[in-house]
Amino acid sequence: MTEKNGPPDPTTESYSMMSADVYDAIYARKNYEAEAQALKDVIGHYTKTDGNQLLDVACGTGRHLSYLVDTFSITGVDLSNDQLVAARKRLPDVAFIQGDMQNFELDRKFDAVTCLFSSIGYVYPYKNMERAVMNMAHHLKPGGVLIIEPWLQPDVFDPRRPPHTDVSELPEMQLKVTRTGHNNIDGNVSILTMHHVVESPEGVAEFTEEHRLAMHSTEEYRQAYESAGLTFTEDPQGLSGRGIYIGVKPL
């Protein structure tokens, strides 16, 4: 069975049909502040450097970063120009750069590198995920920490789950999003087909898109971290219940 590769070329405006506002509406109930505090605790516990340079890979619209700028000097990288426009508006003093996590090059090193909200799941097959981990590790200072929040494991994702609907709102934008999802599976790739109905002052819009995320095992992540020259620690709870993988670059 042939796997499709992950996201499109970074010259595209976005990897998704949803606007940044729709994205923020869908995840408006996510507790970014609590997750950011948990992230600070993990970085403080594991990093062996004395700096505060943080690189957030797949930073999206910068919602986590709003709660981290008081502690870190931040750089954000994302594939989507649309998401970065929203991030720059939210945090005008933060440097945001468009790039693919597999091959971006910033010519500087960081005390901590993060890749959150299961964004790594979009990068597959394994060799591409390994390349992304290698590239993130390349941007670490000796003693720096890499933190990746993975996608679901195969024994957690349920392809037989019935269609499920949730409703989200972003009151300040007068935006309401109703989303119905269907699950499927192709080898180790989970398939989420999502139909969206977006209500706004401009009217009602509908679109459907398919998200494919690889369910790499913990051992595959361990292998990728160790191939990149990092230690490997699994925190099964992590920031949001999905767990995190933690790696430290030797001094």
Side-chain angles (χ1 to χ4, degrees), residues 157-169:
F157 181 79
D158 183 4
R160 298 163 299 180
R161 181 184 180 188
H164 41 283
T165 299
D166 59 77
V167 180
S168 305
E169 296 189 60

Side-chain angles (χ1 to χ4, degrees), residues 49-61:
T49 65
D50 56 6
N52 72 333
Q53 301 294 313
L54 171 66
L55 171 63
D56 188 30
V57 179
C59 63
T61 63

Side-chain angles (χ1 to χ4, degrees), residues 19-201:
S19 67
D21 288 340
V22 171
Y23 178 91
D24 280 344
I26 289 172
Y27 298 110
R29 293 189 296 269
K30 187 173 175 64
N31 195 338
Y32 290 97
E33 184 174 9
E35 292 181 16
Q37 183 57 56
L39 184 65
K40 290 179 186 179
D41 293 343
V42 173
I43 292 172
H45 180 76
Y46 282 94
T47 188
K48 301 181 185 304
T49 65
D50 56 6
N52 72 333
Q53 301 294 313
L54 171 66
L55 171 63
D56 188 30
V57 179
C59 63
T61 63
R63 294 292 298 275
H64 280 112
L65 302 183
S66 298
Y67 302 102
L68 296 170
V69 289
D70 61 337
T71 302
F72 300 101
S73 176
I74 296 170
T75 301
V77 171
D78 200 275
L79 191 64
S80 167
N81 183 62
D82 183 56
Q83 299 266 312
L84 290 175
V85 168
R88 292 183 184 112
K89 183 177 180 180
R90 175 170 283 120
L91 296 165
D93 296 327
V94 171
F96 291 104
I97 299 160
Q98 189 177 22
D100 186 321
M101 69 173 74
Q102 297 181 64
N103 54 30
F104 71 87
E105 175 54 65
L106 302 184
D107 293 321
R108 51 184 293 219
K109 309 294 184 182
F110 297 83
D111 301 279
V113 177
T114 58
C115 184
L116 307 179
F117 211 1
S118 302
S119 300
I120 192 73
Y122 287 99
V123 184
Y124 59 86
Y126 173 80
K127 65 179 180 180
N128 290 0
M129 183 271 281
E130 184 181 47
R131 186 179 299 122
V133 172
M134 187 80 69
N135 192 37
M136 287 185 271
H138 165 70
H139 284 82
L140 279 177
K141 297 176 183 178
V145 61
L146 171 64
I147 300 167
I148 294 178
E149 185 173 36
W151 177 233
L152 303 177
Q153 295 289 302
D155 60 345
V156 176
F157 181 79
D158 183 4
R160 298 163 299 180
R161 181 184 180 188
H164 41 283
T165 299
D166 59 77
V167 180
S168 305
E169 296 189 60
L170 200 62
E172 61 267 32
M173 301 294 294
Q174 300 180 57
L175 200 62
K176 179 179 178 181
V177 182
T178 303
R179 184 171 67 162
T180 301
H182 303 259
N183 289 358
N184 209 334
I185 194 167
D186 180 8
N188 77 325
V189 177
S190 59
I191 304 171
L192 296 81
T193 303
M194 300 289 189
H195 181 73
H196 303 74
V197 179
V198 182
E199 302 172 60
S200 72

